Every structure is written in C-alpha cells, then in structure tokens.
Amino acid sequence: MEVKPSESAAGKFPFPFPPYPIQEQFMTELYHVLEAGKVGIFESPTGTGKSLSLICGSLSWLRDFEEKKRQEEALALSGGDTEKGESQVSEKLAPSTTQSSAEPEWITQFLHKKEEMDIKNKLKEDQIRRQKREERLQQMRHNVQLKFACKRKREEEEETMRLLQLSKQMLSGVDSPGLEQGEEELVLAEYESDEDTKKPTELDDEDDLEEEHVTKIYYCSRTHSQLSQFVHELQKSPFGKETRLVSLGSRQNMCVNDEVRRLGTVQLINDRCMEMQKSKHEKKGEEPEGKKKRGSRVTCPFYNYEQMLFLRDEVLVEVKDIEQLVSQAREVKACPYYATRYAIPAAQLVVLPYQMLLHDSTRRASGIKLKDQVVIIDEAHNLIDTITGIYSCQVTGAQLCQAHSQLAQYMERYRTRLKAKNLMYIKQILFLLEKFVVALGGNMKQNPNFQKVSQEGTSLKSINDFLFFSQVDNINLFKVQRYCMRSMISRKLFGFMEKFRGSEVGAPIKENQKPGGLQQFLQHLNQKSPAEAVGAPEDGGESSNTRSASPLMQIEGFLSALTNTNQDGRIIIQLQGTVAQSSLKFLMLNPAVHFAEVLKECRSVIIAGGTMQPVADFKQQLLASAGLSPDRIAEFSCGHVIPSENILPIVLCNGPTNQQLEFTYQKRDLPEMMDETGRILVNLSNVVPGGLVCFFPSYDYQKLILDHWEKTGQLKRLSAKKKIFQEPKKASQVEQVLSEYSRCIKLSSQSVGPVTGALLFSVVGGKMSEGINFSDDLGRCVVMVGMPFPNIRSPELQEKMSYLDKTLPKTNGVPAGKVLIENLCMKAVNQSIGRAIRHRGDYASIVLLDHRYSRPAILAKLPQWIRSSTEIKPTFGAAFAAVRKFFQMKKTNSTTSPP
C-alpha cells in the first residue's frame, strides 16, 4: 500500500479534503485503539463523514503496521552483516534490556545478546514464511491439475465399487425396487464415522493449498447497499488506488449462472451450486454402457479454476464493489463467489455483510480467518439483535409433519439400498420429529391442518426441560446434527421430493397402511409449495417459479440450537389454532457466547455506528458477558459537524390545554390525550416549513389516533396546512410514498398558498425509522409521540429480562431487565429522531412528546450531540415560541446570506 506516509502516525491522516476536527479526533482515537489491540465502541452521527474516517484511520494504521514489519525484517536481515545494523538493533533493545547498576556487566551483555538473537531469528522466520507463501502459491497453480486428476481417479474408483455392489445385490436376488433414471444420486452414501474429526467445508479439496493470510481489516455492515457505499467512499479516498480490497457476498448476490439464480432461495442456490461442483471434474463420456447422462450432473460453466484465478487477480488489482465484480465475472466467464474467496488471503481489506462474519459455520465456509486480524462492524446499533436472530430459529407443526412424511417415504423407497447406519439415523430423526409434534399436542397419524390444539397459549422451557418434556433426552443430538451435516440428507430429501413432485411421492406405501392422515396431508402439500403450506408472507414473497427448500433444512437448524448450553437459550412452545399453525422456537438469550470467539481471535474489534447510545447494552451483554476485561474496552463519541444553533431538541411535558403528556398504555388511548396530540401538531404545522415527520409507537396506535382525528375533524385541520402522507405497510410502496412526499414539499416551496409542505405519519421501528434520510426540507421537524417501549407482556422479552436479572449486576440500583427495556426504547427513539440532520448545513427541530423524557436517566440515553442542546419545556407556550423563533431565524439567515 504505497500511500504517502503521514507526518505523524496518529496525528495526520491522508484525507480527500481538510478534515473536520471531530474527524481528526475520530481517526486518532481509532488509530490508538488498533495499535493497542483494544475493542472500541465508536459513535459518529450520520453526516459527519464516519465512513471516510473509518477508511482513512484504519488504513493509515495498516499502512504503518506493514511498514514497521518491513523495516524490522530488513533490519534483521542486514543486522548480522553490518555494524550499523547491529547498533540499530541494540538501540531498539536498549530500553528493554537495561538493568540496574547492581547487575554484573557480563549478565547484562548476555541478556542483551540473547534478546538480540531471538529478535533476529523471529524476523528471519517471518521473511522465510513470506517467501514460502509465494512459493506455495506457485506450487498450487502448477499442481492443481494433478490434484484434480487424482480426484477424478478416486471418484471413478468409487463409482466402479458402487456399480459392483449393485451388481452383487441384483445377482443375490435382493428384493429392491428398480430405480428410475437419475435416482442413484438421491441414495445416501455410506456413513462411515461418528467421530468429531475435522469438519468438512465446501473447499476441503483446496484447503491444503490455501495461502497464508496477511494482516487485514474485515469491514462489515448490515446490507449490500451500505457496503457498496463504503466501497465507493474508498474509491474516492487517497487509499483507493493501492488498497487490495475484496467484496464478499452470498451466492444469491454473486451467482452469475442464470439457471441457478432462478431457484431463488439461498439454500437451494447453495445446494445446486455444490451439486454442480461435484460433477465438474468427472470425465465426460465414461459412464457405463446403456446409462444416459443424468441431468442432475450438469456442470457449471463458470466454475473454471484458471478463470477464477484470473478474476481473483483482477479483484486484487483494482477496488470494485459487488455489482462491478459480478459484471466483470460475466465477461470473463468465471465464478465471482469463489474468485473472491481465493482472494481473501492476499487482501488488505475485506468487505462483507456482518451476518456472514458473525455466523460461525458461514465464516468457516467462506474461508475467513480472524486470528490476529482487525474487524470493523459498522451500523452496529442492531448488533445484539442480529446475533440473537442468527442463532434463534423456529419450526412450525406443518414443517415437522411435512418433513416426517417426506423422510418416511424416502426411507421406504430406498430401505434396501441404505446402509445400517443411515437407517439408524433416519429412524432417530423420524422419532425426534414425531416427539416434537407430540410436544405441540399433535398426532402423526392425523392431518395437522385438522388437529385443533386443546388449549392455546405460550410456554417456555429450558433446553434440558424441553428434551425431557418431549421424551428425546435419550437421543445424542450432537451425533444426529453431525450426521445431518455430513450426509447432506436434507439435500437428498429435497431432490427426492423434486423428482416426484405432483405424483405419489416415493415408493408405494405398504398395503396394510391406510391412506389418509399423513398421506392425505402430504398429497395436500404436494399441490402447494412448502412456503404456502407453512404460511407465506403477504409481502415480498418469491416469484411463482421459485422453489422452496426442504422443511428438514429448517429443522436441522432447530436440532443444532438444541445443542447449546442449557442456560444460554430457551424453547418457546406456542400453541395456536391447529397443530400445523403451532410452533417451537429456540430463543438465544446469550449472544455473547457466539461473539466471544470473534473477540478472542481478533487483534482488535471496532463497533461503530451513527447512534450507539445507550452503549450499556454492548458493554454488558456482548463484551463483559464474553469475558472481556474493562481495561480493553475503549469508548469514543463525537459531536455533530453542524453548529449547535442548527438543532432544537425539546422535551414537551404539557399540551396546549395544560394536559400532561404521558403516553402510557393506560392513558394514551384517552380521548383527551389524543385530542391534545392533534392540537400540538396543528400548531406546529403553522410554523414548521417543509416536511414534518411524526413517529408513533406502533401501527395499532397510529390507526387508533388517526381514526379519532378523522371523527373529531382534527385531521381535516391538519390537511388544510400540510398534505398528509402515511407510512405504507408494504415495503414495495415505500419508495412511491417518499417520492410523492418529496414532490409535494418541493412544489409547495415554489408556490404561495395555504399548504406549506407535508406531514408524514410513521411508526418507530417501521420502514421509515431506519435507513431513510429526511434531510433539508424533507424533515425540518421530527415529532416523537410517547415512548416506544416494547411489549413487556411478550414471553420472549420476559424471559430475556429474567435472564439478565440473574446474570448481570444492577445499574445504579436498577435491575438489568428494567435497564434493557429502557435501552430498547431509547435505541428506537435515537434511530428515529436521527433521520433529520444529515449534513453540515442541515437544521431541524426535534420534539419529544412525553414528560418522562425529562428524567435524567432517560435524557442520558440520548446521543451526546442531541442531549447537549435539549431544552425541557414544562408548558406548550414556551415550546411553541422556541420553535417559531428557531425557524424565523433560519428563514432570516437564508434570505440575508449571500448566494
């Protein structure tokens, strides 16, 4: 990385323009945290150039770190040949080898020479290791064809042995049904061992050829669009030309094979990709005589090793985002998914969604090695929820029954062709599925769509209690999970169902088995997609040609969850309507157990975001619970680049008629409270120019209050001043509503009339509260109605609170569970009110409608740049006057300032 060195390592940073003071502070602190190998929590509001600060600060550290290593290596190599080199090493060692005057001189010299030799030897070893890495890469390129030839030979031998066994079986007169064309691929291979040896990965064949990983930075964010924005910022930075960057993504985002992409779901794309790889290196035309080429063994034309190496080199030469990478991959006919994985070892900066890094098995399968590396997790305000969601899972009664039906018929058809161990594990899985349905109050002999649950409700159990309750405590779930992973039984089952879709699935059932019950249910499911059977979402569903994955794939995740430590999770048994609608859910209570490995392996971890307050959740639930000592945690929060006079945050305690504003569950539905809220908005609409965004705590309350205003005429009074828009429930309609909202504000600013902008009603935690920018006239005022506390009656939340109360200490005498509720509320508030101020010249007012916001403990959870300017107004008159004066001053400044 040949970026011009800065004058002072931690003081000056290459930047595309003169940085703001807060950006310099951010980069300096970031540099110190990386150098010290600490875990940092960094907060920098949107509009302050957080991405550029992360890029320039972290890559400046990486540049200096690499330069320091090069100098040490050069010093070690030259130190034995010249006196100058020896003197330099001596000076370097002097501080650490200086002894007290009481030490004999010969001891001092001996220790000095010993340390000198140790350092020289270590640096020489590093140099040799680097050279060996290059030699290994060359060897990999030369020997890969030989390796694939060996693999082909081994597969041919296995195929020959399998055909011989089949012949013997046929000659011995074993009664087994004849297989149709292509069915051989559906039969499970012999399962050899239960031992927990090295876990297989998708690239087992290439593991021994992998390069040594150089020191690098893994940058993670939530969505691919955020990652693309980061890459574009890097391209514009001083580091854009020389940084070796790799963008990682899922096969769903990176696959360039249109036939595979059409499958739609991630799991099906993954499975099809693996199937096509498996046959890539088989010799064409060598199949047994009379055997036609099987369609399931079609190879992927883009999985070309030489072309993927070529694309890998192209990736490392020039910074590209995923869209640019996929476009180039199509041109050179190479797979970008695997080319980027080959590029990871030599990359300096790896950009990826943080779900890919946080999920252990996905991280391993992607070839990511975190040992002594740096991880930066951006947009990390949802980090705890993300980890909890990744390791939580849910299965419905419909999925359990469908998987049982499919697997039972699979076993029936291939019973004589399956080895004893396969049959044993299939029977164990069938037993588990049957017991799970019984736990939901169901019976495997009946159709779950017609089985009513005896009593609706929700119950929670620890993992051990659930295993005893469902009577599966005698099954070794670790072995079952390992079998599912290694045998790939869910893939075989999916192929089996695909082959016989629309017909009587699998082999005929025994004569004495009556049709109906599960058979009737299975035929019913065959007429519908699995997604429809379980209950597909109303919005954002897949296209009609998209096939859904086998339900057993989802159930495998649940079985894996049951192997967690007893205290780290809970099983939620939810009974509702029918057995098919009821569900079993694993709730992860301790996300730190999975984050601990990242913290343990990495040199340094940076958790960054625009709004990180309140940070107590991160420190307690993620870091402290993972065993991180407080002295290794660093916090940094900077102000905004806007001047303080450009923001007016107000806590409003009373309305225009002196009604105290308290939107608790008991009081917020009162007619007088809803009337008071309407009066406040009508008054604000008279003085707020452009757009006014009003956030409600829930969709239900938004509907209730708007219906009330419709009856009382307040909605009509509001629409006389501002055109009213409402957040849509369907994600596909968000863009249209925002476009019309923006267009209305733009037109009203150019015309003279009674309507002066627009009013947008939104919901906290909805589609408008995150990721949407209400900059400039789109959001001159943000109103937060009440405090959006989560539903405390939720069984999941109650269990989480109980768990935290037991495991975490009190904060200022307040139990950890109650602190969690407040933090969840204020995190949602901070995300919503942060939508307005988006750049240095922007200005807006923020009005918090509830007297409870005036409590010191609640105020302390606001972002520092908002908290420092917040005014508490007991009466509406004082608040209204402050808002009117604020916008009058802004209007005066805009008309008097030079163009």
Side-chain angles (χ1 to χ4, degrees), residues 3 38 49 151 178 205 244 283 369 523 598 600 639 653 722 787 790 805 811 813 829 840 849 890:
V3 179
K38 292 186 175 182
K151 182 181 175 183
D205 292 331
R244 300 192 302 275
K283 290 183 178 179
K369 296 186 177 179
Q523 291 172 6
V598 176
K600 179 182 177 181
C653 300
K722 290 186 180 293
M787 299 186 72
D805 285 342
T811 304
V829 169
R840 182 176 177 81
L849 303 185
K890 294 303 170 188

Short mmCIF file of all heavy atoms in Angstrom, two decimals, residues 3 38 49 151 178 205 244 283 369 523 598 600 639 653 722 787 790 805 811 813 829 840 849 890:
data_model
loop_
_atom_site.label_atom_id
_atom_site.label_comp_id
_atom_site.label_asym_id
_atom_site.label_seq_id
_atom_site.Cartn_x
_atom_site.Cartn_y
_atom_site.Cartn_z
N VAL A 3 0.68 4.47 -0.08
CA VAL A 3 0.13 5.79 0.19
C VAL A 3 1.21 6.64 0.85
O VAL A 3 1.99 6.16 1.66
CB VAL A 3 -1.11 5.67 1.12
CG1 VAL A 3 -1.66 7.04 1.42
CG2 VAL A 3 -2.17 4.81 0.44
N LYS A 38 -7.24 -3.05 21.24
CA LYS A 38 -8.41 -2.98 22.11
C LYS A 38 -9.71 -3.18 21.33
O LYS A 38 -9.70 -3.33 20.11
CB LYS A 38 -8.45 -1.62 22.83
CG LYS A 38 -7.33 -1.41 23.83
CD LYS A 38 -7.54 -0.10 24.60
CE LYS A 38 -6.49 0.07 25.69
NZ LYS A 38 -6.71 1.31 26.48
N GLY A 49 -19.17 12.17 8.14
CA GLY A 49 -18.11 11.50 7.39
C GLY A 49 -17.52 10.30 8.10
O GLY A 49 -16.31 10.07 8.06
N LYS A 151 -8.34 -36.66 -7.98
CA LYS A 151 -9.72 -36.65 -7.51
C LYS A 151 -10.62 -37.40 -8.49
O LYS A 151 -11.49 -38.18 -8.08
CB LYS A 151 -10.20 -35.21 -7.34
CG LYS A 151 -11.62 -35.10 -6.81
CD LYS A 151 -12.03 -33.66 -6.71
CE LYS A 151 -13.50 -33.54 -6.30
NZ LYS A 151 -13.94 -32.15 -6.25
N GLY A 178 -36.74 -51.16 -8.66
CA GLY A 178 -35.87 -50.59 -9.68
C GLY A 178 -35.86 -49.08 -9.58
O GLY A 178 -36.87 -48.45 -9.24
N ASP A 205 -11.11 -29.79 -0.68
CA ASP A 205 -10.08 -30.22 -1.63
C ASP A 205 -8.99 -29.18 -1.80
O ASP A 205 -7.88 -29.49 -2.22
CB ASP A 205 -10.71 -30.50 -2.99
CG ASP A 205 -11.61 -31.73 -2.93
OD1 ASP A 205 -11.31 -32.61 -2.11
OD2 ASP A 205 -12.58 -31.79 -3.69
N ARG A 244 -5.74 -3.39 -1.66
CA ARG A 244 -6.23 -4.67 -2.19
C ARG A 244 -7.52 -5.02 -1.44
O ARG A 244 -7.49 -5.45 -0.29
CB ARG A 244 -5.18 -5.77 -1.99
CG ARG A 244 -3.86 -5.48 -2.69
CD ARG A 244 -2.95 -6.70 -2.72
NE ARG A 244 -2.64 -7.21 -1.41
CZ ARG A 244 -1.65 -6.76 -0.63
NH1 ARG A 244 -0.88 -5.76 -1.06
NH2 ARG A 244 -1.42 -7.28 0.56
N LYS A 283 -14.92 -37.10 -15.91
CA LYS A 283 -14.65 -37.21 -17.35
C LYS A 283 -15.96 -37.47 -18.09
O LYS A 283 -16.78 -38.27 -17.68
CB LYS A 283 -13.69 -38.38 -17.63
CG LYS A 283 -12.29 -38.11 -17.14
CD LYS A 283 -11.37 -39.26 -17.49
CE LYS A 283 -9.95 -38.96 -17.03
NZ LYS A 283 -9.05 -40.07 -17.35
N LYS A 369 -10.50 -16.14 8.21
CA LYS A 369 -9.69 -16.47 9.39
C LYS A 369 -9.42 -15.19 10.16
O LYS A 369 -8.79 -14.26 9.66
CB LYS A 369 -8.38 -17.14 8.96
CG LYS A 369 -8.59 -18.47 8.27
CD LYS A 369 -7.29 -19.19 7.98
CE LYS A 369 -7.54 -20.56 7.36
NZ LYS A 369 -6.29 -21.28 7.04
N GLN A 523 -50.12 -35.30 0.25
CA GLN A 523 -50.66 -35.00 -1.06
C GLN A 523 -51.18 -33.58 -1.12
O GLN A 523 -51.04 -32.89 -2.13
CB GLN A 523 -51.77 -36.00 -1.39
CG GLN A 523 -51.26 -37.43 -1.61
CD GLN A 523 -52.39 -38.44 -1.72
OE1 GLN A 523 -53.56 -38.06 -1.75
NE2 GLN A 523 -52.03 -39.73 -1.78
N VAL A 598 -15.08 -14.26 18.21
CA VAL A 598 -14.58 -13.14 17.41
C VAL A 598 -13.64 -12.29 18.25
O VAL A 598 -12.54 -11.92 17.82
CB VAL A 598 -15.76 -12.29 16.87
CG1 VAL A 598 -15.26 -11.06 16.12
CG2 VAL A 598 -16.65 -13.12 15.96
N LYS A 600 -11.99 -13.16 20.89
CA LYS A 600 -10.81 -13.93 21.31
C LYS A 600 -9.76 -13.99 20.20
O LYS A 600 -8.56 -13.84 20.45
CB LYS A 600 -11.23 -15.33 21.72
CG LYS A 600 -10.09 -16.23 22.16
CD LYS A 600 -10.60 -17.62 22.50
CE LYS A 600 -9.45 -18.55 22.88
NZ LYS A 600 -9.93 -19.92 23.19
N GLY A 639 -19.23 14.79 18.56
CA GLY A 639 -20.38 15.62 18.28
C GLY A 639 -20.69 15.63 16.80
O GLY A 639 -20.12 14.90 16.00
N CYS A 653 -43.60 18.69 28.07
CA CYS A 653 -44.24 17.98 29.19
C CYS A 653 -45.76 18.14 29.21
O CYS A 653 -46.47 17.27 29.71
CB CYS A 653 -43.67 18.48 30.52
SG CYS A 653 -41.89 18.21 30.68
N LYS A 722 -50.91 21.16 5.83
CA LYS A 722 -49.91 20.30 5.21
C LYS A 722 -50.59 19.08 4.61
O LYS A 722 -51.49 18.51 5.24
CB LYS A 722 -48.85 19.85 6.23
CG LYS A 722 -47.92 20.97 6.70
CD LYS A 722 -46.81 20.43 7.58
CE LYS A 722 -45.88 21.53 8.06
NZ LYS A 722 -45.10 22.13 6.94
N MET A 787 -43.26 7.24 24.36
CA MET A 787 -42.03 6.45 24.47
C MET A 787 -42.33 5.03 23.97
O MET A 787 -43.16 4.32 24.56
CB MET A 787 -41.53 6.42 25.91
CG MET A 787 -41.20 7.80 26.44
SD MET A 787 -40.45 7.75 28.09
CE MET A 787 -38.83 7.11 27.69
N PRO A 790 -41.05 -1.62 24.31
CA PRO A 790 -41.50 -2.89 23.72
C PRO A 790 -42.61 -3.51 24.56
O PRO A 790 -42.83 -3.10 25.71
CB PRO A 790 -40.23 -3.74 23.75
CG PRO A 790 -39.40 -3.17 24.85
CD PRO A 790 -39.69 -1.70 24.87
N ASP A 805 -31.52 -10.28 34.72
CA ASP A 805 -31.58 -10.01 36.16
C ASP A 805 -30.71 -11.00 36.94
O ASP A 805 -30.11 -10.65 37.96
CB ASP A 805 -33.03 -10.09 36.66
CG ASP A 805 -33.86 -8.87 36.25
OD1 ASP A 805 -33.25 -7.84 35.91
OD2 ASP A 805 -35.10 -8.98 36.24
N THR A 811 -27.71 -1.60 37.72
CA THR A 811 -27.11 -0.33 37.31
C THR A 811 -27.75 0.78 38.13
O THR A 811 -28.93 1.09 37.96
CB THR A 811 -27.34 -0.07 35.81
OG1 THR A 811 -26.82 -1.17 35.06
CG2 THR A 811 -26.67 1.22 35.38
N GLY A 813 -28.71 0.68 41.08
CA GLY A 813 -29.84 0.11 41.83
C GLY A 813 -30.98 -0.40 40.97
O GLY A 813 -31.94 -0.94 41.51
N VAL A 829 -35.88 5.28 19.71
CA VAL A 829 -36.08 6.74 19.61
C VAL A 829 -34.90 7.39 18.90
O VAL A 829 -35.07 8.22 17.99
CB VAL A 829 -36.25 7.35 21.02
CG1 VAL A 829 -36.19 8.88 20.97
CG2 VAL A 829 -37.57 6.90 21.64
N ARG A 840 -23.76 19.02 7.21
CA ARG A 840 -23.29 20.18 7.97
C ARG A 840 -24.24 21.37 7.89
O ARG A 840 -24.47 22.06 8.88
CB ARG A 840 -21.90 20.60 7.48
CG ARG A 840 -21.32 21.77 8.24
CD ARG A 840 -19.91 22.11 7.80
NE ARG A 840 -19.40 23.28 8.49
CZ ARG A 840 -18.88 23.27 9.71
NH1 ARG A 840 -18.81 22.13 10.38
NH2 ARG A 840 -18.43 24.38 10.28
N LEU A 849 -42.69 14.23 22.75
CA LEU A 849 -43.96 14.44 23.45
C LEU A 849 -44.15 13.43 24.57
O LEU A 849 -44.72 12.36 24.36
CB LEU A 849 -45.14 14.35 22.47
CG LEU A 849 -45.14 15.28 21.26
CD1 LEU A 849 -46.44 15.15 20.48
CD2 LEU A 849 -44.97 16.73 21.71
N LYS A 890 -33.91 30.99 11.03
CA LYS A 890 -33.37 30.27 9.87
C LYS A 890 -33.84 30.89 8.57
O LYS A 890 -33.09 30.99 7.59
CB LYS A 890 -33.78 28.78 9.93
CG LYS A 890 -33.17 28.02 11.09
CD LYS A 890 -31.65 28.10 11.05
CE LYS A 890 -31.00 27.57 12.31
NZ LYS A 890 -29.54 27.82 12.34
#
